[in-house]
Amino acid sequence: MTSTLALLTLAALAASGATKPNAGLKTWSRFSKLPDPEDKVFLYDTFPKDFIWAVGTAAYQVEGAFEKDGKGLSIWDTFTRGGSRMATGDVGSDSYHNIHADVRAIKQLGVSHYRFSLSWSRIFPNGTRGSYNKIGTNYYRTLIKKLKEIRVQPLVTLYHWDLPEHLQQQLGGWSNPELVDIFRDYADFCFQTFGDDVKYWISIDNPFAVAWHGYGTGVVAPGIKNDSDLPFRVGHNLLKAHAAAWHLYHQHYRPRQRGQLSMALASHWIKPKHTRLESQRECQCSLEHVLGWFAHPLFTDGDYPPCMKARLGPRLPAFTQEEKEQVKGTADFFALSHGAALSFHLINDSLRFRQQEELDLRMLLYWVNAEYDKPSIFVVQSGWYVRSNTKTEDPKHAYYLKRFIAEALKSIVIDGVNVIGYTAWSLIDGFEWSREYGIRRGLYYVDFNTPDMKREPKTSATFYRKVIQRNGFPELPENRPVQGVFPCDFAWGVSANSIQVETTPSQFTDTSVYLWNISNSGALMKVDGFSVPPLRRGAHCADYATIRQQVEEIRQVGVNHFHFSLNWSALVPTGDVAQPNTTLLGYYRCFARQLLKANITPVVTLWHHTRQGSSLPAPLDTENQWQIRETPEAFADYARLCYRELGAHVKMWITLNEPNDEMVSYQEGHQMLRAHALAWHVYDREFRRKQGGQVSLALHMDWVEPAFSFSREDVEPAKRVLDFRVGWFAEPVFGSGDYPLGMRSWLRQLSSLKLPVFNKEDRELVKGTYDFFALSHFSTKLVTRAKEDSYTYNEMLEVQHMIDTTWIMSPRPVVPWGLRKALNWVKEHYSDVPVYVMANGVQEDPARFKDSLRVYYLYNYINEALKAYILDGVNLKGYFAYALSDQRDPGFGLYGQVHEEVIDKASLFNYRNIIQHNGFPVQGAAPQHCPSSQQPCLGCHLLVKWPVLGFLTLVGLGVIITLCLIIYYTAKRHKSECY
């Protein structure tokens, strides 16, 4: 981890440049050059010791009591009563009457700071000092006092969108420049009243939303939308109001109170639709129109961004030189808001400039750092949302928090950005502006139907509390790579769904005559009209060019095993094993023999399940297919044929490969289990003693992890899914001879009769029909009980499938530790059974021959397999990378292909290197000594199987050689006597 981090940091520094105008433009090219996928790997590390952990709310969203104790109306009180709006924040979460409940929740989280906003109209009902409301002011005094008692610092926002309605009605709100001085006076009162206890102030929250949507699109209060230039005049006044408040604080309050003040600026993130520089410039312009609109005047030169001025022209108000000086530098830190309040909700298409919006806090932080000369950045709002019917189980929100916090950590550790704090949004559920109560964003669930608005911690609260306790994501022992080696007899393999078949030998069959054109290209030129008599010889295995080529490719990988599948429908097209395709059978026999010649053990699957087709012989490929009892008997006959014809060369058999597909019905699965058992017993009774091989079935086993292991509500669904996905086939064979108890009881609970019942005969037939446990593993999923997305929700199992948004995707999640957990599941359920990972691989763009993702994938998945072997005691016997070539398994291959040329990918060399070292040996340790494997003697099996015949053959050869020598020397002596 340390070396990887150092490389990433060096790459980050190398890609950085000196600050200059539009310095943020380099952000996109800089991140495109970082090593992939290393840069996407989750970073286990901690935040600086003085890092600020905060949580926040806004007054109108949570306070309620909209007319209580002298409070005046705000523009939101009026706005929510107009148009087609259905709900108001009149009660919200009733925080006005629940200070103790809120403070208790804040204490439970363990945050150091609590961000909240003052309701301007609660302090000054009509917006000015003359309407001062003492009771409303005392509410905030009490809140700050209670925060101090639990050692939590207040982070106070003066204005979070809820302008007093009187100011809107009488003056036109923020469209009137008179509000600059009125806001300054309001800020003066707040600094004077609360400032001794407040070290962080926010003047105005998200001025973009206030100006663009409050006075432009009309999406938020006050809902004005009849003047397209009005938002820019409003933004102008907001900037001047903030600057006035900052100078007031700086001159009159900072010397004594020693606090800091800024303006909370919200932004989306945008990525280029194309790699051209023009697209990057459009992205830059998009950010300048949203974030730069306010950040550029504050942090640069007191004026608007160049792109904004160029495109808007006279529509954009102009600052005088004096105003520029007044605005410039009026922020003590960069207060950044990021998340659902703006991204994907409040950004119009016109502001994307035909580019693609994306959630990426890390890149946004880097852009701010580069564009505004490395300011201290305080993320003052960050989070996501869940549906309104979600209660205390909100893993989606928790994983978005994990993603954003992890991106902030990378920004600090790798990119060198000075991020000083993070604020999760929000503390409790409340009124969500234009979304009303249609979504929830709180870490605490609020039951709006109860009189006391009861607060309950959600999964996200528990997660955030744990992150704060650990100050990030400290590296744990299980996160570190392990060093060590596998046993000497470990099976290193590569898998392919199928092999390339050539039914006619390509060598020694061409009767044409050729001339060698040595004077030109050296090519062979065919001579028309001439041919030679065909050779009178039988076909040999070496005659198949495709076999030679494929075996050589496999040999180059460095493996000692190769796993491939036979084609049942092609081998027995009529369904009658008495009439097999002898040509194809001969080809498979030759392929297995040539593998053995190369010292590679063939591992052969009789039937490979795919969703594209049944691969059953035509008579069985009916609508019912596996549901009829005749199919298992036919499969047993087919297996017998394969054992008889190929068994001399194949010692490892897979009857069924990945039959436990969720698309397979329980009735089909039942007959597949019978088919496997019948085929296993055929081998056990008729061939095992003579051939000495092993037979089992291979199950698909992607890991299923509880969304949160500390939640029992998630642990049980994960166990249930594993029962239904893996235990469905594993338990009858490796365990009790029946389906898992959890599976039967769940279906019984649902009054479902779908699961067949094993009679005594079938139970005895199926149980114990294995010689090893073979599994295919590719990825990991999370499951939770909380329903969030109907598309990925399994109604029957009552589980929500989801992913951790910090995982690498391609297109399935890359989660190496999932393999270790899968292997341990097998050990826990079936003790010391020998285990083979029969297929493990990742899909990557076939055009990428420097397949860095597959290099990362194989290294880390194999390392997790080693942990299972060394640390957990799993009886792991072999590992097979999937797959050999893109030609047969597109996107998964160690070999790529361009037209007819086969390309060795980077992953091939890396996998071969791991095999050569038999794992990851400890540096400096003595090398592992394993007996060298000898090349197989293809005729030696005759001596083993028929020793008498072998002995007589050797004696006969000796007699013949002796007679030849006698005749030779006799003739020689007779010749010498004649002379």
Side-chain angles (χ1 to χ4, degrees):
M1 174 63 74
T2 304
S3 59
T4 302
L5 182 57
L7 288 172
L8 290 173
T9 305
L10 286 172
L13 293 173
S16 302
T19 302
K20 60 181 182 179
N22 283 335
L25 182 61
K26 292 184 177 180
T27 302
W28 293 277
S29 60
R30 182 259 186 189
F31 276 86
S32 69
K33 295 173 184 176
L34 293 179
D36 183 33
E38 288 81 5
D39 185 60
K40 294 188 178 78
V41 175
F42 189 83
L43 175 63
Y44 289 99
D45 209 330
T46 54
F47 286 86
K49 290 182 179 180
D50 58 351
F51 192 77
I52 297 171
W53 293 104
V55 67
T57 57
Y60 185 76
Q61 292 185 282
V62 300
E63 281 183 6
F66 84 109
E67 286 183 321
K68 189 75 178 288
D69 296 334
K71 177 187 174 295
L73 294 177
S74 75
I75 55 176
W76 275 93
D77 293 320
T78 305
F79 180 72
T80 53
R81 285 167 168 75
S84 59
R85 285 166 287 279
M86 306 292 293
T88 71
D90 292 357
V91 179
S93 313
D94 201 21
S95 285
Y96 188 78
H97 298 107
N98 281 284
I99 285 182
H100 293 287
D102 287 351
V103 170
R104 183 168 59 248
I106 293 165
K107 183 178 181 180
Q108 287 175 352
L109 285 176
V111 294
S112 59
H113 289 66
Y114 175 51
R115 182 189 171 193
F116 64 93
S117 70
L118 306 174
S119 171
W120 190 345
S121 60
R122 192 178 297 281
I123 296 173
F124 295 166
N126 71 4
T128 60
R129 194 184 290 257
S131 62
Y132 166 64
N133 177 19
K134 183 178 180 180
I135 300 177
T137 304
N138 285 341
Y139 164 73
Y140 297 112
R141 283 198 178 101
T142 302
L143 176 58
I144 292 172
K145 178 185 176 184
K146 294 295 181 184
L147 291 173
K148 289 289 187 178
E149 288 175 358
I150 62 170
R151 298 183 179 181
V152 170
Q153 296 295 320
L155 168 57
V156 179
T157 303
L158 295 174
Y159 178 71
H160 200 128
W161 304 10
D162 50 350
L163 188 72
E165 175 65 17
H166 181 78
L167 297 179
Q168 183 64 40
Q169 291 297 328
Q170 295 300 314
L171 301 175
W174 287 107
S175 66
N176 193 326
E178 291 182 31
L179 241 68
V180 173
D181 289 334
I182 295 174
F183 180 75
R184 181 185 182 279
D185 188 56
Y186 162 61
D188 183 40
F189 174 82
C190 295
F191 297 151
Q192 184 178 27
T193 305
F194 310 116
D196 289 342
D197 295 312
V198 178
K199 302 306 177 188
Y200 284 98
W201 291 94
I202 299 294
S203 60
I204 298 167
D205 180 85
N206 199 345
F208 169 83
V210 174
W212 187 263
H213 292 295
Y215 294 83
T217 66
V219 172
V220 301
I224 296 171
K225 52 183 177 182
N226 55 1
D227 183 348
S228 60
D229 292 341
L230 181 59
F232 306 116
R233 298 198 297 274
V234 168
H236 204 67
N237 292 331
L238 289 168
L239 278 165
K240 291 197 288 185
H242 159 78
W246 187 90
H247 284 289
L248 171 70
Y249 187 83
H250 184 67
Q251 295 165 9
H252 297 284
Y253 295 98
R254 193 193 302 277
R256 177 170 57 87
Q257 296 178 356
R258 299 184 180 279
Q260 298 183 65
L261 184 145
S262 191
M263 190 185 216
L265 307 180
S267 185
H268 61 314
W269 181 249
I270 199 91
K271 69 175 183 179
K273 204 167 187 177
H274 306 286
T275 56
R276 298 190 299 267
L277 182 59
E278 291 80 1
S279 288
Q280 294 180 18
R281 286 177 177 150
E282 289 298 288
C283 289
Q284 177 81 5
C285 202
S286 173
L287 291 175
E288 288 184 0
H289 273 72
V290 179
L291 181 57
W293 181 0
F294 299 94
H296 197 275
L298 297 181
F299 291 91
T300 305
D301 57 6
D303 203 356
Y304 295 113
C307 179
M308 202 173 180
K309 292 173 70 175
R311 298 201 181 189
L312 293 174
R315 296 178 61 195
L316 198 62
F319 287 110
T320 65
Q321 188 58 40
E322 181 182 356
E323 288 172 335
K324 290 179 183 178
E325 295 300 323
Q326 179 78 1
V327 171
K328 182 175 68 174
T330 57
D332 300 318
F333 56 94
F334 199 111
L336 179 66
S337 294
H338 173 262
L342 189 62
S343 299
F344 294 96
H345 289 291
L346 296 180
I347 291 292
N348 299 76
D349 286 339
S350 61
L351 293 175
R352 295 189 180 99
F353 296 111
R354 300 175 301 280
Q355 307 308 308
Q356 296 176 340
E357 190 174 358
E358 187 177 63
L359 274 179
D360 198 314
L361 178 58
R362 180 187 172 190
M363 291 184 72
L364 177 59
L365 288 168
Y366 184 86
W367 186 88
V368 170
N369 182 72
E371 187 76 10
Y372 302 116
D373 197 18
K374 304 178 181 179
S376 298
I377 305 175
F378 193 160
V379 180
V380 294
Q381 183 179 150
S382 179
W384 206 240
Y385 64 93
V386 292
R387 301 190 312 175
S388 60
N389 61 354
T390 302
K391 295 189 177 180
T392 59
E393 298 174 41
D394 65 337
K396 176 184 174 183
H397 186 195
Y399 275 104
Y400 271 100
L401 280 176
K402 179 183 178 183
R403 172 179 175 175
F404 297 145
I405 295 170
E407 288 177 355
L409 180 61
K410 279 188 176 181
S411 188
I412 295 169
V413 176
I414 298 175
D415 306 332
V417 178
N418 185 20
V419 183
I420 63 172
Y422 180 88
T423 307
W425 201 269
S426 64
L427 174 66
I428 53 177
D429 293 331
F431 179 83
E432 291 298 336
W433 309 115
S434 61
R435 304 292 293 273
E436 299 179 345
Y437 296 101
I439 60 173
R440 291 177 180 264
R441 296 190 64 194
L443 300 176
Y444 280 74
Y445 170 75
V446 176
D447 188 344
F448 298 114
N449 296 318
T450 57
D452 61 347
M453 298 281 180
K454 183 180 179 182
R455 281 94 161 114
E456 294 182 68
K458 299 181 186 178
T459 306
S460 55
T462 306
F463 167 77
Y464 192 46
R465 183 177 71 245
K466 289 180 179 293
V467 171
I468 294 171
Q469 289 171 348
R470 298 167 182 164
N471 199 32
F473 310 98
E475 187 177 44
L476 301 174
E478 58 263 32
N479 304 137
R480 303 184 191 115
V482 70
Q483 289 184 305
V485 292
F486 292 96
C488 287
D489 61 350
F490 194 73
W492 289 104
V494 64
S495 292
N497 283 341
S498 60
I499 59 173
Q500 185 177 351
V501 173
E502 179 186 23
T503 56
T504 304
S506 56
Q507 292 288 98
F508 309 112
T509 58
D510 189 355
T511 59
S512 302
V513 174
Y514 294 87
L515 288 177
W516 186 12
N517 185 5
I518 59 174
S519 62
N520 193 0
S521 64
L524 293 175
M525 299 176 60
K526 185 177 180 180
V527 180
D528 295 331
F530 290 88
S531 63
V532 296
L535 291 174
R536 299 184 179 277
R537 63 187 282 276
H540 296 278
C541 291
D543 296 349
Y544 293 97
T546 55
I547 291 181
R548 290 200 318 278
Q549 178 186 341
Q550 290 177 91
V551 170
E552 178 58 21
E553 288 174 2
I554 297 164
R555 190 190 65 79
Q556 288 288 342
V557 179
V559 295
N560 50 37
H561 285 66
F562 178 62
H563 174 215
F564 66 98
S565 300
L566 306 180
N567 189 325
W568 183 6
S569 60
L571 273 173
V572 191
T574 65
D576 183 359
V577 293
Q579 297 178 322
N581 183 335
T582 54
T583 302
L584 183 57
L585 203 54
Y587 184 86
Y588 283 136
R589 187 184 300 110
C590 280
F591 191 86
R593 288 186 62 190
Q594 295 304 109
L595 283 174
L596 288 171
K597 270 190 174 182
N599 208 25
I600 298 167
T601 301
V603 181
V604 177
T605 288
L606 295 174
W607 183 75
H608 186 105
H609 171 72
T610 64
R611 294 185 180 182
Q612 287 71 38
S614 70
S615 298
L616 298 179
L620 298 174
D621 193 12
T622 61
E623 185 178 347
N624 294 322
Q625 295 181 353
W626 281 102
Q627 296 186 41
I628 56 177
R629 290 186 68 88
E630 289 77 14
T631 303
E633 279 74 15
F635 181 76
D637 291 339
Y638 160 63
R640 182 180 289 107
L641 169 70
C642 296
Y643 299 152
R644 184 177 64 245
E645 298 297 329
L646 306 177
H649 313 295
V650 178
K651 304 305 177 188
M652 208 169 168
W653 294 93
I654 301 292
T655 55
L656 309 175
N657 193 76
E658 301 183 3
N660 55 324
D661 190 301
E662 59 186 309
M663 302 301 292
V664 172
S665 70
Y666 297 134
Q667 288 76 18
E668 288 176 312
H670 198 73
Q671 297 304 325
M672 288 179 182
L673 281 165
R674 291 186 66 251
H676 156 74
L678 289 171
W680 187 91
H681 283 293
V682 165
Y683 192 86
D684 192 54
R685 288 193 307 263
E686 303 175 27
F687 298 94
R688 187 186 300 275
R689 185 176 177 184
K690 185 166 57 175
Q691 296 180 356
Q694 294 182 308
V695 182
S696 196
L697 78 171
L699 301 179
H700 183 95
M701 192 180 180
D702 280 353
W703 182 243
V704 180
E705 179 76 1
F708 289 99
S709 57
F710 54 74
S711 168
R712 182 176 176 81
E713 287 77 9
D714 288 349
V715 171
E716 289 302 320
K719 289 181 178 178
R720 182 160 61 248
V721 174
L722 286 168
D723 270 347
F724 274 80
R725 293 287 175 264
V726 185
W728 173 25
F729 272 76
E731 186 61 22
V733 174
F734 298 92
S736 63
D738 198 358
Y739 297 114
L741 288 174
M743 189 177 182
R744 280 208 180 278
S745 61
W746 183 260
L747 291 174
R748 192 179 301 115
Q749 173 186 318
L750 298 177
S751 301
S752 173
L753 301 177
K754 294 179 180 177
L755 196 61
V757 176
F758 283 103
N759 57 38
K760 182 179 179 181
E761 180 184 350
D762 283 347
R763 184 186 294 238
E764 292 176 356
L765 174 72
V766 171
K767 184 178 179 180
T769 53
Y770 69 90
D771 296 309
F772 52 87
F773 194 112
L775 62 90
S776 301
H777 176 90
F778 298 93
S779 186
T780 292
K781 281 186 178 180
L782 299 174
V783 294
T784 178
R785 191 180 66 173
K787 184 175 182 179
E788 179 64 32
D789 181 358
S790 57
Y791 182 73
T792 54
Y793 185 78
N794 187 306
E795 294 285 352
M796 188 193 77
L797 297 182
E798 296 181 10
V799 294
Q800 177 73 60
H801 291 277
M802 59 181 296
I803 62 168
D804 182 339
T805 53
T806 65
W807 287 344
I808 299 171
M809 300 293 295
S810 183
R812 290 182 286 191
V814 176
V815 192
W817 52 258
L819 175 58
R820 182 182 179 186
K821 292 204 171 192
L823 292 170
N824 272 278
W825 185 94
V826 176
K827 179 178 182 288
E828 290 164 10
H829 284 73
Y830 307 116
S831 190
D832 201 37
V833 61
V835 185
Y836 290 85
V837 178
M838 202 54 69
N840 178 237
V842 66
Q843 189 172 7
E844 192 170 5
D845 183 358
R848 294 191 64 181
F849 300 133
K850 292 184 178 179
D851 51 343
S852 55
L853 176 60
R854 185 170 293 105
V855 170
Y856 169 85
Y857 183 100
L858 291 175
Y859 179 94
N860 286 278
Y861 273 80
I862 295 171
N863 197 267
E864 291 295 325
L866 184 61
K867 290 178 187 178
Y869 170 70
I870 291 178
L871 303 178
D872 308 328
V874 175
N875 188 14
L876 185 61
K877 293 295 188 180
Y879 172 91
F880 290 68
Y882 177 82
L884 179 64
S885 170
D886 284 338
Q887 183 183 22
R888 311 301 295 175
D889 303 286
F892 285 90
L894 299 172
Y895 287 100
Q897 191 153 0
V898 177
H899 303 301
E900 298 299 319
E901 183 182 3
V902 176
I903 309 293
D904 300 355
K905 295 186 184 179
S907 57
L908 187 151
F909 297 102
N910 281 269
Y911 184 41
R912 184 167 63 206
N913 184 59
I914 294 172
I915 295 171
Q916 287 170 349
H917 291 88
N918 204 28
F920 310 91
V922 178
Q923 290 185 353
Q928 183 185 29
H929 293 290
C930 294
S932 59
S933 57
Q934 297 180 348
Q935 292 293 325
C937 171
L938 294 182
C940 294
H941 67 280
L942 293 174
L943 298 177
V944 177
K945 291 166 62 177
W946 295 291
V948 175
L949 177 60
F951 175 74
L952 293 176
T953 301
L954 289 175
V955 170
L957 288 172
V959 170
I960 293 171
I961 293 171
T962 303
L963 289 173
C964 290
L965 289 172
I966 291 172
I967 294 170
Y968 171 75
Y969 282 108
T970 300
K972 188 176 181 180
R973 187 177 62 183
H974 177 71
K975 186 176 181 182
S976 61
E977 288 176 353
C978 292
Y979 287 104

